[in-house]
Amino acid sequence: MRAEAQEFYKGTYLENTGRYKGIWAWLTSTDHKRIGLMYLYAIATFFIVGVIMGLLMRIELISPGKTIVEPQAYNGLFTVHGIIMIFMVVIPGLSATFGNFFLPIMIGARDVSFPRLNLFSFYLFLFGSFLAILSQFMRHGPPDTGWTFYAPYSTTTGTNVIMATTAAFILGFSSILTGLNFIVTVHRLRAPGMRFFRMPLFPWAIYATAWIQLLATPVVGITLLMIIAERLFRIGFFDPALGGDPVLYQHLFWIYSHPAVYIMILPAMGVITEIIPTFCQRKVYGYKAIALSSVAIAAVGYLVWGHHMYTSGMSGKSLWLFSFLTFVVAVPSAIKVFNWLATMYKGSIDMKPPFLFALFFIFLFTIGGLTGLVLGALATNVHVHDTSFVVAHFHYIIFGGMGFAMFAAIHYWFPKIYGRMYNLKQATVASIIMFVGFNLLYFPQFIIGIEGMPRRYYDYFPQFQPAQVISTIGGFVLAAGLALMFYNLIRSARKGEKAPANPWNGTTLEWQIPSPPPLENFDEIPHINERPYSFK
Amino acid sequence: MNYGIHYGASNFVEKIDYTFYFILGIDIFFFILITILMIYFVVRYNKKRHQKAVQVQERTWLEVLWITIPLILVLAMFYVGWKNYIPLRRPPKDALEVKVIGRMWDWQFVYPDGKVATTLYVPLNKPVKLNLYSPDVLHGFFIPAFRIKEDVVPGKNNYTWFTATQLGEYDIYCSAYCGMRHAYMYSKVKVVPTEEFNSILANLKVASSTDGEAVLRNNGCFSCHSMDGTRLVGPSFKGLWGAKKTVITPDGKKETIVVDEKYLEESIIDPNAKVEEGFMPNVMRSYKGIIKDEEIKAIIEYFKNSDGEAKKE
Ligand SMILES: [Cu+2]
């Protein structure tokens, strides 16, 4: 950080000041805002690739038997769709983009604690993503293990598993370093007077997430290395033919990958908690409860991984415990939903696009959460586990939850980031199309899942076809909504009307500085003497 | 007959469905509550009607209320789920034991006296315990109509059980992803009256180690290899004996070989040593220790004697 005495640069972060011009000025920038935006552009690109793969699968599934691709190609599609969406889109999705951009501003800092490390994380992310995409095109064909890389299939199949797991390993490292950076930033760089319980709730969520990133990601890193070692040196961690244990892999994998679900969803909850008070012009209801429930989720969320493995043949006691804890961890999420609703009570509600997205989030996330209870209970899990019920459930949580929160965040902070406003009407229309398409796409999967349609199936019996057709139609409706949203945003970033500094009348710090923000965010670091969200 | 969800096909259906409706009922209540509140607030407190927000104070009792009520409800769900799950892990002692072999990509069922079938025949109203065995990768044994599912884990002795309570035919799926033809790893369970079951069992064959074709069938070779020249995942066995093949060794070199005893044995024990051109390596697992020497001999005999059309080329 620069010394306070130095003169404050008045230009915005979008103007180039350093040695380089054009794209180089971006690629070498250590400014947290630019890094956040670079993440955003990269992630949006990967997202589009993932969506296209999803649509290809939907076309394949529109009728039984072969429609457009062979089984092996289909298996590659769902694997790579999963790898891209999970490791390259959803996990870094909110924290690396809006966390980077707004965490420092919202706590009154000029940057993160380690700006160069931040840029390094970005390059690790790009490199990992590059490898993941490359694994598609190399000699032995795309990995075909599913994004979970379950052993011993993953240690024996002939496809490019090594490259894909290396990619996931590197992406994990990027995530660890980002988490570390944010933890230190929150501890060291809060503005004077900003105690922990005066921090806005998005930074709280990012902070809780960062701890999970830092503590859980190394486990999956090691697990993926074990897969590689087993493939290269026949070491025998997981393959019983070599003396290993396949269930061990599942434990190790989910010890990370369950908390990873919270890496995805906590920042999303944080965004929603920012948006609702602003558009209701009301102090958030239950500030402390929301902040602490993030921490509770992060903590208990570590201990529930076994609920992915109820049918693996675990001992009765561990089944009992995992199911019990799974139900306990549902409570903090419920608390948040009630707090959001209570915040709307007697507010003065302005139905602008970010708020609409937030409402859709609550609706979809609630469905995702409630169907999660069916999966958490042992008796019902046995029936719906590994069926398309699970597919529907986690898309409701991850896409309906994290995805819609991401769209909400873009529409909320867009005028701050670019100093311009998008077309509100188009944004509203796009959000409604997406909402309708989303439900058409995923809801039928619940029903055929209950009827016994297993997941990761290239082919199916005709009785499942009507639902599959509705899903495919929904997929294209959703894609049309996405296209309209992207069109509106891209056009408006360059040509939109000029936006005022605080178009939504928000109270957190990012709305108190000009739009787009100045290079160093704050002319003078503010002094904080009350809780956020105090609307007058 | 594989339509819909089936009620009453096994002893577990009632309990598991009850758990499902119990949870679903609570779910629907909360879902409606949340949705209605959301819509009501959005309409009632819309900016147009409600210009100035009221900064309501938090009430502790309210927060305590919405922590305790969900907590009690989820614990109830947990309890019902657990209680109704316990019977699934407790097969009765007198159950008929059947070994289920799940492998890439078919199912096979071995009865106590060594008789083998590819459809699971079970007697009505008699408990059946299934011992799940996989020689290769993970599979999942799933009968939706019975509400049972258990992973078939190589190296682990998993089991599941049921009592079929309705005559009929029901689907068996593989629920755990297992590679290229995962979606085709399908079989059926046929529930028949006891007398019919006994006569079916009497007519089934014992797994033979001297009949080459039986060895091939019992080890699931035909899910990847055809006898009639059709190309599946692996090369067809039609006219295999004495055929000339181009193979690729692990270091990427091409070689031309003639299929003889040594090549066949190697292809079964160490399939990756020579991979036929145009096929993927690492798809076929090694059958070392799974297929006995005498069985390999039987397979080779079988190839020698089956029709040799391709030999002429
Ligand atoms: Cu299988």
Side-chain angles (χ1 to χ4, degrees), chain B residues 96-102 107-112 115-117 120 128-135 141 157-158:
Chain B
L96 168 72
E97 295 209 19
V98 180
K99 177 174 176 184
V100 175
I101 302 177
W107 297 104
Q108 196 182 51
F109 308 99
V110 185
Y111 290 88
K115 302 241 166 142
V116 199
L120 177 59
V128 177
K129 181 181 177 208
L130 303 171
N131 296 312
L132 307 173
Y133 167 78
S134 161
F141 184 84
N157 300 322
N158 281 357

Side-chain angles (χ1 to χ4, degrees), chain A residues 16 20-28 34:
Chain A
N16 295 330
Y20 300 100
K21 295 250 151 10
I23 184 134
W24 286 108
W26 281 79
L27 291 177
T28 56
R34 287 194 167 195

Side-chain angles (χ1 to χ4, degrees), chain B residues 102-105 107 137-140 174-179 182 185:
Chain B
R103 62 196 166 200
M104 294 157 116
W105 291 286
W107 297 104
V137 298
L138 293 175
H139 301 281
C174 174
S175 57
Y177 175 72
C178 59
H182 167 54
M185 189 165 160

Side-chain angles (χ1 to χ4, degrees), chain A residues 170-308:
Chain A
I170 294 171
L171 289 166
F173 245 86
S174 162
S175 183
I176 294 174
L177 295 179
T178 305
L180 176 77
N181 215 336
F182 288 172
I183 292 173
V184 179
T185 305
V186 167
H187 277 277
R188 306 292 304 163
L189 297 184
R190 274 169 292 132
M194 182 175 279
R195 300 192 213 119
F196 260 91
F197 282 117
R198 285 183 187 162
M199 252 195 333
L201 290 163
F202 180 64
W204 258 106
I206 293 288
Y207 175 71
T209 310
W211 275 109
I212 313 181
Q213 286 175 285
L214 187 69
L215 296 179
T217 320
V219 180
V220 79
I222 291 166
T223 312
L224 295 174
L225 286 186
M226 287 163 87
I227 290 271
I228 294 174
E230 178 149 334
R231 285 183 70 94
L232 290 178
F233 312 117
R234 318 293 299 145
I235 287 191
F237 296 116
F238 308 128
D239 187 351
L242 305 170
D245 176 5
V247 180
L248 174 67
Y249 175 82
Q250 297 178 22
H251 279 291
L252 289 172
F253 180 80
W254 290 113
I255 285 175
Y256 164 74
S257 296
H258 188 78
V261 175
Y262 299 113
I263 298 182
M264 306 171 197
I265 203 67
L266 277 178
M269 292 167 155
V271 168
I272 302 304
T273 314
E274 292 299 323
I275 290 175
I276 289 181
T278 303
F279 290 88
C280 297
Q281 291 294 301
R282 252 210 57 186
K283 182 176 72 134
V284 71
Y285 192 95
Y287 171 91
K288 258 196 181 161
I290 296 183
L292 292 177
S293 63
S294 290
V295 180
I297 291 176
V300 186
Y302 275 107
L303 306 174
V304 302
W305 76 84
H307 66 214
H308 296 269

Side-chain angles (χ1 to χ4, degrees), chain A residues 71-72 75 78 144 150-153 156 158 240 246-247 250 280-287 289 311-313 319-320 323-324 327 331 335 338-339 341-342 344-351 359 362-363 366-367 370 373 377-380 382-383 385-387 450 452 454-459 461 463-464 535-536, chain B residues 2-3 5 16 19-20 23 27 30-31 34-35 37-38 41-42 45-47 50-59 62-63 66-67 70-71 74-75 77-78 81-82 84-85 88 104 136-138 142 144 147-151 153-156 158 173-180 182-184 186 280-282:
Chain A
Q72 186 64 18
N75 296 344
F78 75 66
D144 64 338
Y150 264 20
Y153 188 71
T156 51
V247 180
Q250 297 178 22
C280 297
Q281 291 294 301
R282 252 210 57 186
K283 182 176 72 134
V284 71
Y285 192 95
Y287 171 91
T311 62
S312 70
L319 289 172
W320 189 97
S323 176
F324 177 77
F327 276 103
V331 176
I335 296 174
F338 295 136
N339 278 302
L341 285 177
M344 292 181 203
Y345 176 65
K346 290 197 177 171
S348 173
I349 297 178
D350 193 2
M351 288 281 278
L359 290 182
I362 297 180
F363 184 90
T366 302
I367 296 183
L370 292 173
L373 299 173
L378 284 159
T380 39
V382 175
H383 181 58
H385 174 66
D386 269 341
T387 67
I450 293 170
R455 67 191 284 210
R456 294 171 167 172
Y457 260 35
Y458 166 77
D459 203 351
F461 287 117
Q463 80 253 25
F464 298 123
F535 293 89
K536 297 283 145 47
Chain B
N2 37 46
Y3 191 75
I5 177 80
I16 290 192
T19 314
F20 182 73
I23 296 176
D27 276 3
F30 275 95
F31 174 69
I34 289 169
T35 312
L37 278 181
M38 211 155 66
F41 288 165
V42 166
Y45 301 114
N46 195 289
K47 212 164 94 178
H50 202 244
Q51 302 265 334
K52 184 100 187 77
V54 183
Q55 305 299 330
V56 184
Q57 284 307 313
E58 277 105 345
R59 302 229 164 70
L62 191 62
E63 290 190 64
W66 72 41
I67 293 176
L71 189 65
V74 293
L75 291 182
M77 291 185 207
F78 157 72
W82 164 244
N84 288 330
Y85 173 78
L88 271 82
M104 294 157 116
D136 42 44
V137 298
L138 293 175
F142 179 27
R147 314 285 190 271
I148 57 168
K149 182 184 289 119
E150 185 77 3
D151 294 357
V153 182
K156 202 163 189 297
N158 281 357
Y173 294 112
C174 174
S175 57
Y177 175 72
C178 59
M180 185 179 326
H182 167 54
Y184 297 98
Y186 169 79
M280 290 213 300
N282 294 312

